[in-house]
Amino acid sequence: MSTKTFAPKEIDFKGFTQDNSSTVTVKQKGQEINLKKDGGQWRVNEFSISASALKDLFEGLKNLEPLSLASRNLEKEEDFEIKPDMGTILSLKKGETVQDFVLGKTGNVWGTFYLKKQDSKNIYLVKGSLKEVLGHDLSWWRDKTVVKIDPAVISSIVIKDPKRLITFTKDKDSKWSALSGAQKVVLEQARLDRILNALNPLEAFDFAEPDEDKALKSGKNVTNLIFSASDGSIAVELSFLKKDDAWLVKANSQDTVYKISNGKIEDILVSYDELFKKK
């Protein structure tokens, strides 16, 4: 005897994909996240969107697993925290059709939560990552790519901090050297790769607060990193400033100031001592 799968159509999200959907709206805790596709490109609240966040969203929709019908009594909505003013409202648009859903409290088993279509009385217990994905703030949704540099186009790199200037140049045999004042050494390929790989792409973990933004843009105690192409033109210029347990960074081509972890900065900003002090 076959076992029938529990799959109520009213909460079947498999028909909503990144390609055929046009808007996704998430409302909760006084915050509204608006994802909109314009010209084939998705954006979030008018910002560039993180590709991994977008992927997580549609995978969360696709992989949602209905477990059981928890209630058909609308008077129980408050018990399940699934009233619109208590839960998370999810609106999905495909073509001219908009469907609204409400996500309620978490269930007793890890990864489960309650869900209903807004115009339905049926409250379901479901399992999946969707509630966690929708619980993030705007910062999580935004693209945090500071810059993406193709190593093949770079022929020189300059690191300029308040104390020193270090220049890296590539010769006709594609060998790199580091120069600072009268000091000159051959730059090992492994060390060069650490620099270039960290910038292809360079991704932040967060955005700077307004006061941090001003500190970097003031130029005080800032380290500059300049990448030039073979024709001498500046391909990318980055500004860095140490701030507590992280670094602030800004590309000259944009106004946004990002936060970068110490680990990534150690790969990028080569110190004078690392290059020129004898082991």
Side-chain angles (χ1 to χ4, degrees):
M1 184 175 68
S2 63
T3 302
K4 188 175 181 180
T5 302
F6 182 66
K9 290 184 178 181
E10 64 180 344
I11 56 167
D12 183 1
F13 294 131
K14 292 182 177 62
F16 293 94
T17 69
Q18 186 172 329
D19 292 330
N20 68 20
S21 302
S22 57
T23 63
V24 178
T25 302
V26 184
K27 298 178 182 178
Q28 61 180 342
K29 301 173 185 175
Q31 173 181 254
E32 185 168 324
I33 305 294
N34 293 294
L35 285 73
K36 184 177 181 181
K37 185 164 61 177
D38 185 13
Q41 298 297 315
W42 284 90
R43 295 180 68 80
V44 56
N45 289 30
E46 302 304 323
F47 295 105
S48 297
I49 193 169
S50 163
S52 61
L54 192 63
K55 179 182 177 182
D56 287 349
L57 168 64
F58 283 100
E59 285 190 349
L61 292 170
K62 176 183 176 181
N63 297 327
L64 185 78
E65 180 185 355
L67 299 177
S68 64
L69 177 64
S71 177
R72 300 188 68 199
N73 185 353
L74 292 180
E75 293 181 358
K76 295 284 188 180
E77 283 187 326
E78 190 166 342
D79 296 340
F80 294 104
E81 297 177 14
I82 208 162
K83 294 177 67 176
D85 60 345
M86 298 176 70
T88 298
I89 301 175
L90 171 65
S91 298
L92 302 170
K93 183 177 181 181
K94 179 176 66 173
E96 297 302 317
T97 303
V98 179
Q99 296 189 45
D100 299 319
F101 304 87
V102 185
L103 287 73
K105 71 177 185 179
T106 56
N108 293 328
V109 178
W110 182 86
T112 64
F113 59 95
Y114 294 95
L115 170 73
K116 72 183 291 289
K117 193 172 183 182
Q118 192 162 9
D119 59 2
S120 170
K121 63 182 179 182
N122 297 324
I123 301 172
Y124 298 94
L125 178 66
V126 299
K127 182 178 181 180
S129 62
L130 185 61
K131 183 176 175 65
E132 180 182 0
V133 170
L134 300 183
H136 290 293
D137 62 13
L138 178 59
S139 175
W140 182 84
W141 289 96
R142 290 178 59 187
D143 180 25
K144 299 177 186 65
T145 302
V146 182
V147 70
K148 183 176 175 66
I149 300 174
D150 180 1
V153 307
I154 302 302
S155 63
S156 73
I157 305 169
V158 173
I159 299 177
K160 183 180 180 182
D161 64 27
K163 295 181 178 179
R164 293 189 178 94
L165 178 74
I166 303 175
T167 302
F168 305 89
T169 56
K170 181 170 64 173
D171 63 20
K172 58 183 177 60
D173 297 318
S174 296
K175 301 294 184 182
W176 285 77
S177 59
L179 175 69
S180 183
Q183 300 281 352
K184 184 176 182 179
V185 295
V186 173
L187 185 62
E188 296 179 359
Q189 186 64 43
R191 189 61 185 91
L192 175 67
D193 289 343
R194 278 179 61 192
I195 299 172
L196 297 178
N197 290 340
L199 293 158
N200 189 31
L202 174 60
E203 295 184 340
F205 68 84
D206 203 353
F207 300 93
E209 298 296 333
D211 61 324
E212 296 172 325
D213 189 302
K214 292 178 182 178
L216 177 62
K217 291 179 179 178
S218 73
K220 187 177 181 180
N221 297 320
V222 167
T223 296
N224 293 304
L225 188 60
I226 304 169
F227 295 84
S228 298
S230 57
D231 62 0
S233 62
I234 295 177
V236 177
E237 183 173 354
L238 300 170
S239 298
F240 296 87
L241 177 66
K242 185 76 170 69
K243 182 69 174 178
D244 300 326
D245 58 349
W247 285 75
L248 307 178
V249 59
K250 174 187 174 300
N252 65 336
S253 58
Q254 52 186 280
D255 290 327
T256 305
V257 177
Y258 301 86
K259 287 185 176 180
I260 303 292
S261 67
N262 282 323
K264 289 190 177 183
I265 294 300
E266 289 172 359
D267 287 336
I268 299 167
L269 296 182
V270 188
S271 70
Y272 181 91
D273 288 351
E274 180 184 347
L275 291 170
F276 302 111
K277 292 290 184 180
K278 292 183 178 180
K279 305 290 191 290

